[in-house]
Amino acid sequence: TFALSFVVVSRLLKGRVDASHALPAWLIPGVATLDIAVTGGHMPMGWAPELNLFAGAVGAVLALVLFAMIVSRLVHHDPLAAAMTPSLMILVAPFAVGFLAYSNIVGGIDRFGALLFYFALFMFAVVATKVFRRSVRFSPAWWTIGFPMAALVNAALKYAEFRANGPLWVLAAALLGALSLALAILTVRTARIALNGKLFT
Protein backbone atom coordinates (compact mmCIF):
# COMPACT_ATOMS: atom_id res chain seq x y z
CA THR A 1 0.00 0.00 0.00
CA PHE A 2 2.93 2.34 0.60
CA ALA A 3 4.21 1.58 -2.91
CA LEU A 4 0.76 2.18 -4.39
CA SER A 5 0.45 5.50 -2.55
CA PHE A 6 3.92 6.49 -3.80
CA VAL A 7 2.96 5.72 -7.40
CA VAL A 8 -0.34 7.61 -7.12
CA VAL A 9 1.25 10.77 -5.72
CA SER A 10 4.12 10.62 -8.21
CA ARG A 11 1.72 10.41 -11.14
CA LEU A 12 -0.48 13.22 -9.83
CA LEU A 13 2.54 15.51 -9.44
CA LYS A 14 3.46 15.06 -13.10
CA GLY A 15 0.65 17.52 -13.86
CA ARG A 16 -1.92 17.74 -16.64
CA VAL A 17 -4.31 15.39 -14.86
CA ASP A 18 -7.83 15.66 -16.23
CA ALA A 19 -10.01 16.60 -13.24
CA SER A 20 -12.96 14.74 -14.77
CA HIS A 21 -11.06 11.47 -14.21
CA ALA A 22 -11.16 11.84 -10.42
CA LEU A 23 -13.33 8.97 -9.19
CA PRO A 24 -14.19 7.59 -5.74
CA ALA A 25 -11.92 4.59 -6.42
CA TRP A 26 -8.97 6.99 -6.25
CA LEU A 27 -9.41 6.91 -2.46
CA ILE A 28 -8.40 3.27 -2.19
CA PRO A 29 -4.61 3.80 -1.84
CA GLY A 30 -5.10 6.24 1.05
CA VAL A 31 -7.73 4.10 2.76
CA ALA A 32 -5.63 0.95 2.31
CA THR A 33 -2.68 2.67 3.97
CA LEU A 34 -4.91 3.71 6.88
CA ASP A 35 -5.85 0.05 7.22
CA ILE A 36 -2.28 -0.66 8.34
CA ALA A 37 -2.94 1.36 11.48
CA VAL A 38 -6.33 -0.31 11.93
CA THR A 39 -4.78 -3.77 12.22
CA GLY A 40 -1.31 -2.66 13.37
CA GLY A 41 -2.73 -1.26 16.58
CA HIS A 42 -2.85 -4.83 17.89
CA MET A 43 0.75 -5.70 16.98
CA PRO A 44 3.04 -6.09 20.03
CA MET A 45 6.39 -5.46 18.28
CA GLY A 46 8.38 -2.44 19.39
CA TRP A 47 8.50 -0.97 15.88
CA ALA A 48 4.74 -1.25 15.29
CA PRO A 49 3.78 2.17 16.78
CA GLU A 50 6.15 3.99 14.41
CA LEU A 51 4.84 2.03 11.43
CA ASN A 52 1.29 2.90 12.47
CA LEU A 53 2.17 6.59 12.72
CA PHE A 54 3.77 6.52 9.28
CA ALA A 55 0.76 4.72 7.79
CA GLY A 56 -1.64 7.09 9.53
CA ALA A 57 0.21 10.15 8.26
CA VAL A 58 0.43 8.97 4.65
CA GLY A 59 -3.08 7.52 4.52
CA ALA A 60 -4.85 10.41 6.22
CA VAL A 61 -3.29 13.22 4.19
CA LEU A 62 -3.52 11.33 0.90
CA ALA A 63 -7.16 10.39 1.52
CA LEU A 64 -8.01 13.97 2.47
CA VAL A 65 -6.39 15.45 -0.65
CA LEU A 66 -7.98 12.89 -2.96
CA PHE A 67 -11.36 13.30 -1.25
CA ALA A 68 -11.23 17.04 -2.01
CA MET A 69 -10.31 16.35 -5.65
CA ILE A 70 -13.12 13.82 -6.07
CA VAL A 71 -15.76 16.06 -4.48
CA SER A 72 -14.60 18.93 -6.70
CA ARG A 73 -15.01 16.70 -9.75
CA LEU A 74 -18.49 15.59 -8.65
CA VAL A 75 -19.55 19.20 -8.10
CA HIS A 76 -18.06 20.83 -11.18
CA HIS A 77 -18.21 18.10 -13.85
CA ASP A 78 -20.75 15.69 -15.29
CA PRO A 79 -22.28 13.11 -12.91
CA LEU A 80 -20.77 9.66 -12.73
CA ALA A 81 -21.96 7.11 -15.25
CA ALA A 82 -24.97 5.23 -13.91
CA ALA A 83 -23.00 1.97 -13.59
CA MET A 84 -20.47 3.71 -11.32
CA THR A 85 -23.05 5.12 -8.91
CA PRO A 86 -22.47 2.44 -6.22
CA SER A 87 -18.81 3.53 -5.99
CA LEU A 88 -19.99 6.75 -4.32
CA MET A 89 -20.16 4.69 -1.11
CA ILE A 90 -16.33 4.74 -1.07
CA LEU A 91 -16.59 8.38 0.04
CA VAL A 92 -17.54 7.05 3.48
CA ALA A 93 -14.36 4.98 3.83
CA PRO A 94 -11.71 7.64 4.63
CA PHE A 95 -13.65 8.80 7.69
CA ALA A 96 -14.83 5.41 8.97
CA VAL A 97 -11.42 3.78 8.48
CA GLY A 98 -9.78 7.01 9.65
CA PHE A 99 -11.72 6.77 12.92
CA LEU A 100 -10.58 3.19 13.48
CA ALA A 101 -6.97 4.00 12.61
CA TYR A 102 -6.88 7.16 14.72
CA SER A 103 -8.35 5.46 17.78
CA ASN A 104 -5.69 2.76 17.54
CA ILE A 105 -2.87 5.27 17.13
CA VAL A 106 -3.89 7.43 20.12
CA GLY A 107 -5.01 4.45 22.19
CA GLY A 108 -8.57 5.61 22.73
CA ILE A 109 -11.46 7.69 21.44
CA ASP A 110 -11.32 11.43 21.93
CA ARG A 111 -13.44 14.24 20.49
CA PHE A 112 -11.53 14.36 17.21
CA GLY A 113 -12.16 10.64 16.78
CA ALA A 114 -15.85 11.24 17.48
CA LEU A 115 -15.88 13.94 14.79
CA LEU A 116 -14.48 11.45 12.28
CA PHE A 117 -17.14 8.91 13.19
CA TYR A 118 -20.02 11.34 12.93
CA PHE A 119 -18.85 12.71 9.59
CA ALA A 120 -18.61 9.15 8.27
CA LEU A 121 -22.19 8.64 9.43
CA PHE A 122 -23.25 11.88 7.73
CA MET A 123 -21.55 10.91 4.46
CA PHE A 124 -23.26 7.53 4.57
CA ALA A 125 -26.66 9.19 4.94
CA VAL A 126 -25.95 11.49 2.00
CA VAL A 127 -24.51 8.83 -0.29
CA ALA A 128 -27.07 6.14 0.58
CA THR A 129 -29.87 8.27 -0.85
CA LYS A 130 -28.01 8.38 -4.17
CA VAL A 131 -26.87 4.76 -4.30
CA PHE A 132 -29.87 2.79 -3.06
CA ARG A 133 -32.29 3.65 -5.85
CA ARG A 134 -34.29 1.38 -8.11
CA SER A 135 -32.96 3.29 -11.12
CA VAL A 136 -29.40 2.08 -10.40
CA ARG A 137 -29.17 -1.26 -12.18
CA PHE A 138 -27.42 -4.19 -10.55
CA SER A 139 -23.90 -5.11 -11.66
CA PRO A 140 -20.75 -6.46 -9.99
CA ALA A 141 -19.83 -2.80 -9.32
CA TRP A 142 -22.33 -2.95 -6.45
CA TRP A 143 -19.73 -4.85 -4.42
CA THR A 144 -17.95 -1.53 -3.89
CA ILE A 145 -20.50 -0.72 -1.16
CA GLY A 146 -19.24 -3.60 0.99
CA PHE A 147 -16.00 -2.41 2.53
CA PRO A 148 -17.10 1.20 3.28
CA MET A 149 -20.25 -0.04 4.98
CA ALA A 150 -18.28 -2.67 6.90
CA ALA A 151 -15.82 -0.01 8.07
CA LEU A 152 -18.72 2.17 9.22
CA VAL A 153 -20.29 -0.76 11.09
CA ASN A 154 -17.00 -1.48 12.87
CA ALA A 155 -16.65 2.20 13.73
CA ALA A 156 -20.23 2.34 15.03
CA LEU A 157 -19.75 -0.75 17.21
CA LYS A 158 -16.49 0.59 18.63
CA TYR A 159 -17.96 4.02 19.33
CA ALA A 160 -21.10 2.55 20.93
CA GLU A 161 -18.96 0.37 23.17
CA PHE A 162 -16.90 3.40 24.20
CA ARG A 163 -19.93 5.57 24.97
CA ALA A 164 -22.02 2.72 26.44
CA ASN A 165 -25.04 4.52 25.06
CA GLY A 166 -28.31 2.75 24.23
CA PRO A 167 -29.25 4.74 21.09
CA LEU A 168 -25.71 4.30 19.74
CA TRP A 169 -26.01 0.54 20.20
CA VAL A 170 -29.32 0.62 18.32
CA LEU A 171 -27.66 2.60 15.52
CA ALA A 172 -24.74 0.15 15.35
CA ALA A 173 -27.13 -2.83 15.26
CA ALA A 174 -29.20 -1.21 12.51
CA LEU A 175 -26.08 -0.58 10.43
CA LEU A 176 -24.92 -4.15 10.97
CA GLY A 177 -28.34 -5.42 9.89
CA ALA A 178 -28.25 -3.23 6.78
CA LEU A 179 -24.76 -4.46 5.89
CA SER A 180 -25.74 -8.11 6.39
CA LEU A 181 -28.84 -7.68 4.23
CA ALA A 182 -26.89 -5.86 1.53
CA LEU A 183 -24.19 -8.57 1.38
CA ALA A 184 -26.82 -11.33 1.26
CA ILE A 185 -28.61 -9.63 -1.64
CA LEU A 186 -25.33 -9.00 -3.46
CA THR A 187 -24.32 -12.64 -3.06
CA VAL A 188 -27.64 -13.98 -4.38
CA ARG A 189 -27.85 -11.56 -7.31
CA THR A 190 -24.21 -12.08 -8.28
CA ALA A 191 -24.64 -15.85 -8.20
CA ARG A 192 -27.76 -15.49 -10.34
CA ILE A 193 -26.10 -13.49 -13.11
CA ALA A 194 -23.02 -15.73 -12.93
CA LEU A 195 -25.16 -18.83 -13.49
CA ASN A 196 -26.98 -17.05 -16.31
CA GLY A 197 -23.67 -16.26 -18.02
CA LYS A 198 -24.25 -12.50 -17.71
CA LEU A 199 -21.61 -11.67 -15.10
CA PHE A 200 -19.33 -9.84 -17.54
CA THR A 201 -21.90 -8.46 -19.97
Side-chain angles (χ1 to χ4, degrees):
T1 60
F2 286 129
L4 181 58
S5 296
F6 182 88
V7 170
V8 167
V9 174
S10 296
R11 290 187 176 183
L12 288 175
L13 292 180
K14 286 183 178 180
R16 298 184 181 276
V17 178
D18 188 344
S20 66
H21 292 170
L23 301 170
W26 278 23
L27 287 167
I28 291 176
V31 173
T33 306
L34 282 173
D35 273 326
I36 295 173
V38 173
T39 56
H42 306 288
M43 297 172 66
M45 292 76 80
W47 47 263
E50 296 304 317
L51 178 65
N52 293 334
L53 285 171
F54 183 47
V58 174
V61 176
L62 183 55
L64 184 61
V65 170
L66 293 177
F67 180 84
M69 294 175 64
I70 293 163
V71 170
S72 177
R73 176 256 186 268
L74 294 173
V75 170
H76 298 292
H77 294 269
D78 292 335
L80 293 178
M84 300 182 72
T85 300
S87 70
L88 287 171
M89 191 61 70
I90 300 175
L91 297 176
V92 175
F95 306 99
V97 177
F99 165 81
L100 295 169
Y102 177 78
S103 62
N104 277 348
I105 289 172
V106 302
I109 299 174
D110 56 18
R111 289 187 178 180
F112 180 74
L115 292 175
L116 290 174
F117 168 70
Y118 279 117
F119 191 74
L121 192 63
F122 171 77
M123 282 303 303
F124 174 75
V126 171
V127 171
T129 61
K130 299 183 178 298
V131 171
F132 298 113
R133 292 182 175 180
R134 290 184 178 273
S135 59
V136 183
R137 296 180 58 186
F138 179 78
S139 72
W142 269 91
W143 280 97
T144 58
I145 72 172
F147 83 88
M149 288 184 65
L152 181 61
V153 168
N154 277 302
L157 289 168
K158 188 169 187 175
Y159 191 66
E161 182 180 16
F162 171 72
R163 290 296 188 193
N165 181 292
L168 287 173
W169 277 116
V170 172
L171 173 64
L175 290 171
L176 178 59
L179 171 65
S180 301
L181 178 62
L183 292 179
I185 293 172
L186 288 176
T187 300
V188 170
R189 298 198 66 174
T190 302
R192 184 181 300 168
I193 63 173
L195 294 174
N196 291 339
K198 299 178 180 179
L199 184 62
F200 300 109
T201 58

XYZ file of all heavy atoms in Angstrom, residues 49-129:
603
model
N 4.350 0.823 16.628
C 3.781 2.169 16.776
C 4.302 3.169 15.747
O 3.544 4.002 15.248
C 4.191 2.568 18.206
C 4.323 1.274 18.926
C 4.896 0.331 17.914
N 5.595 3.068 15.407
C 6.149 3.990 14.412
C 5.597 3.686 13.022
O 5.304 4.601 12.240
C 7.680 3.910 14.403
C 8.318 4.363 15.691
C 7.915 5.780 16.076
O 7.873 6.663 15.199
O 7.605 6.002 17.275
N 5.438 2.410 12.718
C 4.844 2.030 11.434
C 3.408 2.534 11.344
O 2.974 3.034 10.305
C 4.871 0.511 11.268
C 4.228 -0.030 9.978
C 5.014 0.421 8.759
C 4.126 -1.547 10.016
N 2.670 2.427 12.444
C 1.291 2.900 12.468
C 1.210 4.410 12.277
O 0.321 4.914 11.585
C 0.614 2.500 13.784
C 0.430 1.006 13.907
O 0.351 0.298 12.921
N 0.388 0.514 15.133
N 2.136 5.134 12.896
C 2.170 6.593 12.721
C 2.472 6.956 11.272
O 1.849 7.865 10.703
C 3.217 7.205 13.650
C 2.838 7.296 15.133
C 4.049 7.704 15.961
C 1.693 8.284 15.333
N 3.429 6.261 10.679
C 3.770 6.522 9.283
C 2.580 6.236 8.373
O 2.227 7.036 7.498
C 4.972 5.662 8.884
C 5.460 5.900 7.476
C 5.648 7.182 6.992
C 5.739 4.829 6.641
C 6.105 7.408 5.702
C 6.193 5.036 5.356
C 6.377 6.319 4.881
N 1.927 5.086 8.602
C 0.759 4.720 7.792
C -0.380 5.709 8.003
O -1.060 6.102 7.042
C 0.303 3.304 8.142
N -0.583 6.121 9.244
C -1.641 7.091 9.529
C -1.388 8.420 8.863
O -2.308 9.045 8.322
N -0.139 8.867 8.882
C 0.208 10.147 8.260
C -0.010 10.105 6.751
O -0.675 10.973 6.167
C 1.662 10.495 8.575
N 0.542 9.086 6.103
C 0.427 8.972 4.647
C -1.028 8.773 4.241
O -1.554 9.453 3.352
C 1.293 7.810 4.120
C 1.052 7.588 2.628
C 2.767 8.088 4.376
N -1.702 7.834 4.893
C -3.075 7.517 4.520
C -4.036 8.656 4.748
O -4.875 8.953 3.900
N -3.907 9.344 5.891
C -4.848 10.413 6.222
C -4.713 11.597 5.277
O -5.704 12.098 4.742
C -4.641 10.861 7.663
N -3.485 12.046 5.054
C -3.290 13.221 4.192
C -3.642 12.884 2.745
O -4.307 13.665 2.057
C -1.852 13.746 4.305
C -1.636 14.896 3.332
C -1.567 14.205 5.728
N -3.211 11.708 2.278
C -3.522 11.328 0.896
C -5.026 11.190 0.695
O -5.579 11.686 -0.301
C -2.823 10.009 0.564
C -2.982 9.488 -0.871
C -2.534 10.533 -1.881
C -2.220 8.194 -1.061
N -5.709 10.554 1.634
C -7.160 10.391 1.519
C -7.862 11.740 1.540
O -8.824 11.960 0.785
C -7.679 9.502 2.644
N -7.388 12.657 2.386
C -8.013 13.974 2.472
C -7.858 14.756 1.175
O -8.810 15.358 0.670
C -7.408 14.759 3.641
C -8.024 16.136 3.932
C -9.496 15.990 4.288
C -7.267 16.820 5.060
N -6.642 14.735 0.601
C -6.389 15.447 -0.654
C -7.223 14.856 -1.788
O -7.868 15.580 -2.559
C -4.891 15.403 -0.999
C -4.648 15.922 -2.418
C -4.088 16.228 0.001
N -7.221 13.538 -1.891
C -7.975 12.889 -2.963
C -9.478 13.076 -2.769
O -10.215 13.231 -3.751
C -7.622 11.407 -3.022
C -6.180 11.095 -3.443
C -5.917 9.596 -3.403
C -5.903 11.627 -4.854
N -9.944 13.061 -1.518
C -11.363 13.300 -1.249
C -11.769 14.669 -1.774
O -12.818 14.817 -2.416
C -11.630 13.201 0.252
C -13.070 13.425 0.635
C -13.979 12.386 0.581
C -13.511 14.676 1.058
C -15.305 12.583 0.927
C -14.830 14.881 1.412
C -15.742 13.837 1.348
N -10.928 15.682 -1.523
C -11.231 17.036 -2.009
C -11.269 17.072 -3.535
O -12.144 17.719 -4.128
C -10.193 18.019 -1.480
N -10.337 16.375 -4.186
C -10.308 16.345 -5.647
C -11.551 15.673 -6.213
O -12.137 16.133 -7.197
C -9.052 15.624 -6.136
C -7.753 16.345 -5.819
S -6.295 15.380 -6.290
C -6.508 15.317 -8.078
N -11.961 14.576 -5.574
C -13.119 13.824 -6.070
C -14.405 14.630 -5.882
O -15.247 14.697 -6.789
C -13.207 12.463 -5.351
C -12.017 11.601 -5.747
C -14.512 11.756 -5.690
C -11.785 10.429 -4.819
N -14.571 15.252 -4.716
C -15.760 16.064 -4.479
C -15.803 17.232 -5.458
O -16.861 17.573 -5.997
C -15.801 16.556 -3.020
C -16.894 17.601 -2.829
C -16.029 15.385 -2.070
N -14.648 17.842 -5.720
C -14.596 18.932 -6.695
C -15.041 18.447 -8.074
O -15.797 19.127 -8.767
C -13.176 19.489 -6.765
O -13.082 20.503 -7.747
N -14.602 17.265 -8.457
C -15.015 16.698 -9.754
C -16.515 16.429 -9.788
O -17.198 16.724 -10.770
C -14.244 15.402 -10.012
C -14.670 14.665 -11.301
C -15.529 13.455 -10.940
N -15.828 12.655 -12.100
C -16.904 12.801 -12.856
N -17.774 13.762 -12.573
N -17.143 12.040 -13.904
N -17.056 15.889 -8.688
C -18.485 15.587 -8.646
C -19.334 16.857 -8.688
O -20.443 16.852 -9.215
C -18.811 14.778 -7.390
C -18.214 13.371 -7.322
C -18.464 12.742 -5.953
C -18.789 12.483 -8.421
N -18.810 17.942 -8.133
C -19.546 19.201 -8.096
C -19.468 19.939 -9.432
O -20.478 20.474 -9.918
C -19.004 20.106 -6.960
C -19.596 21.514 -7.058
C -19.322 19.500 -5.604
N -18.295 19.961 -10.043
C -18.059 20.835 -11.182
C -18.100 20.142 -12.545
O -18.029 20.821 -13.570
C -16.703 21.536 -11.032
C -16.618 22.410 -9.823
N -17.351 23.567 -9.686
C -15.892 22.294 -8.672
C -17.082 24.142 -8.531
N -16.205 23.374 -7.885
N -18.203 18.822 -12.570
C -18.211 18.105 -13.849
C -19.468 17.252 -13.956
O -20.307 17.244 -13.058
C -16.949 17.246 -13.981
C -15.692 18.049 -14.069
N -15.150 18.472 -15.260
C -14.865 18.512 -13.099
C -14.043 19.165 -15.033
N -13.847 19.202 -13.727
N -19.573 16.525 -15.060
C -20.749 15.693 -15.289
C -20.878 14.624 -14.200
O -19.862 14.177 -13.642
C -20.652 15.012 -16.657
C -20.753 16.012 -17.802
O -21.343 17.088 -17.584
O -20.227 15.719 -18.895
N -22.102 14.184 -13.905
C -22.281 13.114 -12.914
C -21.577 11.841 -13.354
O -21.254 11.652 -14.538
C -23.802 12.923 -12.877
C -24.373 14.177 -13.457
C -23.371 14.666 -14.459
N -21.344 10.951 -12.400
C -20.766 9.660 -12.731
C -21.707 8.890 -13.648
O -22.924 9.072 -13.610
C -20.530 8.834 -11.463
C -19.482 9.326 -10.469
C -19.442 8.388 -9.275
C -18.114 9.413 -11.112
N -21.131 8.009 -14.454
C -21.958 7.105 -15.251
C -22.822 6.272 -14.308
O -22.409 5.953 -13.189
C -21.064 6.194 -16.090
N -24.008 5.928 -14.763
C -24.965 5.225 -13.906
C -24.374 3.953 -13.300
O -24.609 3.641 -12.137
C -26.221 4.888 -14.703
N -23.577 3.225 -14.081
C -23.003 1.970 -13.595
C -21.995 2.193 -12.478
O -21.690 1.270 -11.721
C -22.341 1.222 -14.744
N -21.473 3.417 -12.344
C -20.475 3.710 -11.323
C -21.086 4.312 -10.061
O -20.370 4.601 -9.102
C -19.417 4.665 -11.887
C -18.679 4.119 -13.080
S -17.415 5.269 -13.658
C -16.217 5.091 -12.331
N -22.389 4.496 -10.052
C -23.046 5.119 -8.913
C -22.757 4.425 -7.585
O -22.506 5.098 -6.579
C -24.568 5.193 -9.144
O -24.824 5.978 -10.319
C -25.275 5.826 -7.960
N -22.755 3.079 -7.513
C -22.469 2.439 -6.217
C -21.111 2.817 -5.640
O -20.928 2.775 -4.421
C -22.538 0.944 -6.546
C -23.461 0.859 -7.716
C -23.155 2.085 -8.530
N -20.152 3.188 -6.495
C -18.812 3.527 -5.993
C -18.811 4.794 -5.153
O -17.826 5.075 -4.454
C -17.824 3.673 -7.154
O -18.090 4.838 -7.922
N -19.904 5.568 -5.184
C -19.993 6.745 -4.319
C -19.879 6.375 -2.844
O -19.462 7.189 -2.021
C -21.314 7.484 -4.557
C -21.450 8.269 -5.869
C -22.881 8.752 -6.039
C -20.486 9.452 -5.881
N -20.232 5.134 -2.509
C -20.157 4.693 -1.114
C -18.719 4.737 -0.594
O -18.498 4.831 0.625
C -20.735 3.284 -0.980
C -20.959 2.827 0.439
S -22.128 3.851 1.375
C -23.679 3.418 0.558
N -17.738 4.693 -1.499
C -16.333 4.737 -1.074
C -16.024 6.055 -0.378
O -15.070 6.132 0.416
C -15.399 4.519 -2.286
C -15.670 3.149 -2.924
C -13.934 4.587 -1.874
C -14.872 2.896 -4.195
N -16.818 7.095 -0.613
C -16.587 8.384 0.042
C -16.732 8.296 1.566
O -16.258 9.165 2.292
C -17.547 9.439 -0.510
C -17.400 9.784 -1.999
C -18.485 10.760 -2.429
C -16.022 10.361 -2.288
N -17.382 7.251 2.037
C -17.539 7.046 3.484
C -16.245 6.501 4.089
O -15.924 6.773 5.251
C -18.699 6.067 3.758
C -18.821 5.743 5.244
C -20.010 6.633 3.210
N -15.491 5.754 3.309
C -14.364 4.982 3.832
C -13.270 5.799 4.525
O -12.796 5.389 5.596
C -13.763 4.129 2.718
N -12.814 6.934 3.966
C -11.715 7.643 4.631
C -12.029 8.034 6.070
O -11.130 8.044 6.922
C -11.514 8.889 3.756
C -12.087 8.540 2.445
C -13.218 7.619 2.726
N -13.277 8.324 6.352
C -13.648 8.795 7.686
C -13.939 7.638 8.638
O -13.573 7.690 9.816
C -14.832 9.756 7.569
C -14.554 10.869 6.605
C -15.031 10.810 5.303
C -13.753 11.930 6.976
C -14.745 11.820 4.396
C -13.452 12.941 6.078
C -13.947 12.889 4.782
N -14.574 6.580 8.121
C -14.829 5.408 8.967
C -13.523 4.682 9.287
O -13.240 4.364 10.453
C -15.807 4.465 8.270
N -12.714 4.433 8.251
C -11.420 3.785 8.476
C -10.497 4.724 9.235
O -9.719 4.293 10.099
C -10.789 3.349 7.139
C -9.411 2.729 7.369
C -11.686 2.355 6.419
N -10.588 6.028 8.935
C -9.783 7.007 9.652
C -10.070 6.999 11.143
O -9.159 7.114 11.971
N -11.344 6.863 11.509
C -11.721 6.775 12.922
C -11.073 5.563 13.582
O -10.506 5.657 14.683
C -13.243 6.698 13.045
C -13.735 6.243 14.392
C -13.811 7.138 15.449
C -14.098 4.922 14.614
C -14.254 6.727 16.702
C -14.545 4.501 15.858
C -14.617 5.407 16.908
N -11.148 4.413 12.915
C -10.583 3.190 13.479
C -9.065 3.294 13.608
O -8.485 2.894 14.625
C -10.959 1.986 12.596
C -12.445 1.653 12.524
C -12.708 0.630 11.421
C -12.961 1.143 13.859
N -8.425 3.855 12.578
C -6.970 4.003 12.615
C -6.550 4.993 13.696
O -5.618 4.734 14.475
C -6.462 4.456 11.243
N -7.235 6.127 13.745
C -6.882 7.162 14.715
C -7.048 6.664 16.146
O -6.184 6.906 17.010
C -7.739 8.403 14.479
C -7.509 9.513 15.473
C -6.394 10.353 15.365
C -8.408 9.738 16.514
C -6.181 11.365 16.292
C -8.200 10.753 17.434
C -7.088 11.569 17.323
O -6.879 12.570 18.228
N -8.124 5.956 16.425
C -8.353 5.462 17.784
C -7.284 4.456 18.189
O -6.916 4.372 19.370
C -9.757 4.848 17.906
O -9.901 3.731 17.052
N -6.770 3.689 17.228
C -5.692 2.760 17.538
C -4.381 3.499 17.794
O -3.608 3.138 18.679
C -5.490 1.770 16.395
C -6.463 0.609 16.467
O -7.138 0.417 17.468
N -6.551 -0.157 15.398
N -4.128 4.541 16.998
C -2.873 5.274 17.135
C -2.798 6.008 18.472
O -1.772 5.991 19.152
C -2.701 6.262 15.955
C -2.404 5.483 14.666
C -1.574 7.258 16.230
C -2.406 6.341 13.417
N -3.906 6.652 18.865
C -3.891 7.427 20.117
C -4.248 6.574 21.328
O -4.125 7.020 22.460
C -4.838 8.647 20.038
C -4.447 9.550 18.885
C -6.291 8.210 19.926
N -4.697 5.351 21.092
C -5.011 4.455 22.190
C -6.328 4.727 22.873
O -6.508 4.411 24.052
N -7.261 5.323 22.160
C -8.573 5.611 22.734
C -9.392 6.458 21.785
O -8.992 6.725 20.659
N -10.554 6.879 22.248
C -11.456 7.686 21.438
C -11.610 9.054 22.103
O -12.089 9.146 23.231
C -12.827 7.005 21.285
C -12.677 5.660 20.578
C -13.793 7.906 20.518
C -13.949 4.845 20.506
N -11.167 10.079 21.413
C -11.323 11.434 21.934
C -12.333 12.177 21.052
O -13.001 11.574 20.211
C -9.980 12.164 21.995
C -9.271 12.203 20.644
O -9.938 11.990 19.604
O -8.045 12.447 20.627
N -12.431 13.483 21.235
C -13.445 14.240 20.492
C -13.138 14.314 18.998
O -14.061 14.335 18.181
C -13.564 15.645 21.088
C -14.224 15.626 22.465
C -14.508 17.007 22.989
N -15.185 16.949 24.277
C -15.558 18.001 24.968
N -15.309 19.217 24.517
N -16.172 17.857 26.134
N -11.854 14.360 18.648
C -11.531 14.358 17.214
C -11.951 13.041 16.582
O -12.494 13.011 15.473
C -10.038 14.601 16.992
C -9.649 14.614 15.537
C -9.976 15.697 14.737
C -8.980 13.540 14.972
C -9.637 15.711 13.391
C -8.638 13.548 13.630
C -8.968 14.639 12.839
N -11.709 11.940 17.279
C -12.164 10.645 16.776
C -13.673 10.612 16.612
O -14.191 10.089 15.621
N -14.380 11.186 17.571
C -15.845 11.244 17.482
C -16.283 12.053 16.270
O -17.264 11.705 15.598
C -16.423 11.846 18.761
N -15.550 13.135 15.971
C -15.877 13.941 14.792
C -15.727 13.120 13.516
O -16.566 13.214 12.603
C -14.972 15.180 14.733
C -15.187 16.239 15.817
C -14.139 17.342 15.681
C -16.586 16.834 15.736
N -14.674 12.309 13.447
C -14.483 11.453 12.275
C -15.638 10.475 12.130
O -16.153 10.261 11.023
C -13.161 10.688 12.394
C -11.871 11.492 12.263
C -10.671 10.610 12.562
C -11.754 12.094 10.862
N -16.034 9.869 13.242
C -17.137 8.911 13.187
C -18.429 9.566 12.715
O -19.124 9.047 11.833
C -17.356 8.267 14.554
C -18.647 7.498 14.638
C -18.804 6.313 13.947
C -19.715 7.979 15.390
C -20.011 5.613 14.001
C -20.910 7.286 15.449
C -21.057 6.100 14.754
N -18.743 10.707 13.286
C -20.018 11.343 12.931
C -20.016 11.872 11.503
O -21.076 11.892 10.848
C -20.350 12.443 13.933
C -20.967 11.904 15.194
C -20.336 12.053 16.426
C -22.170 11.209 15.154
C -20.897 11.538 17.584
C -22.729 10.687 16.302
C -22.098 10.857 17.507
O -22.662 10.328 18.649
N -18.855 12.289 10.993
C -18.847 12.715 9.594
C -18.985 11.508 8.665
O -19.634 11.600 7.620
C -17.579 13.496 9.244
C -17.677 14.169 7.900
C -18.461 15.301 7.737
C -17.033 13.646 6.792
C -18.586 15.909 6.482
C -17.148 14.243 5.545
C -17.929 15.385 5.397
N -18.405 10.376 9.052
C -18.606 9.148 8.275
C -20.086 8.787 8.228
O -20.625 8.408 7.174
C -17.797 7.998 8.883
N -20.755 8.924 9.364
C -22.187 8.644 9.431
C -22.973 9.609 8.543
O -23.904 9.205 7.822
C -22.650 8.748 10.876
C -24.047 8.233 11.208
C -24.148 6.740 10.935
C -24.365 8.531 12.670
N -22.593 10.876 8.573
C -23.250 11.884 7.735
C -23.058 11.572 6.259
O -24.013 11.624 5.465
C -22.685 13.264 8.063
C -23.133 14.345 7.115
C -24.404 14.889 7.209
C -22.282 14.816 6.125
C -24.821 15.878 6.323
C -22.685 15.805 5.242
C -23.966 16.335 5.345
N -21.816 11.230 5.860
C -21.549 10.913 4.461
C -22.333 9.689 4.016
O -22.838 9.621 2.891
C -20.057 10.683 4.234
C -19.221 11.946 4.159
S -19.777 13.107 2.866
C -19.680 12.093 1.398
N -22.482 8.715 4.919
C -23.262 7.526 4.575
C -24.714 7.898 4.301
O -25.321 7.413 3.337
C -23.192 6.496 5.706
C -24.087 5.306 5.494
C -23.739 4.324 4.577
C -25.276 5.177 6.188
C -24.573 3.235 4.354
C -26.108 4.094 5.983
C -25.755 3.113 5.066
N -25.273 8.762 5.141
C -26.664 9.188 4.942
C -26.837 9.902 3.618
O -27.821 9.678 2.893
C -27.100 10.086 6.102
N -25.867 10.750 3.264
C -25.954 11.494 2.004
C -25.823 10.555 0.809
O -26.620 10.591 -0.137
C -24.856 12.581 1.941
C -24.789 13.206 0.553
C -25.117 13.658 2.996
N -24.805 9.693 0.857
C -24.508 8.827 -0.286
C -25.565 7.738 -0.459
O -25.916 7.364 -1.588
C -23.106 8.217 -0.125
C -22.855 7.153 -1.181
C -22.047 9.308 -0.223
N -26.087 7.223 0.658
C -27.067 6.140 0.575
C -28.299 6.551 -0.221
O -28.878 5.742 -0.955
C -27.471 5.703 1.980
N -28.695 7.810 -0.108
C -29.873 8.270 -0.852
C -29.617 8.306 -2.354
O -30.566 8.296 -3.149
C -30.294 9.677 -0.386
O -29.228 10.605 -0.630
C -30.630 9.677 1.092
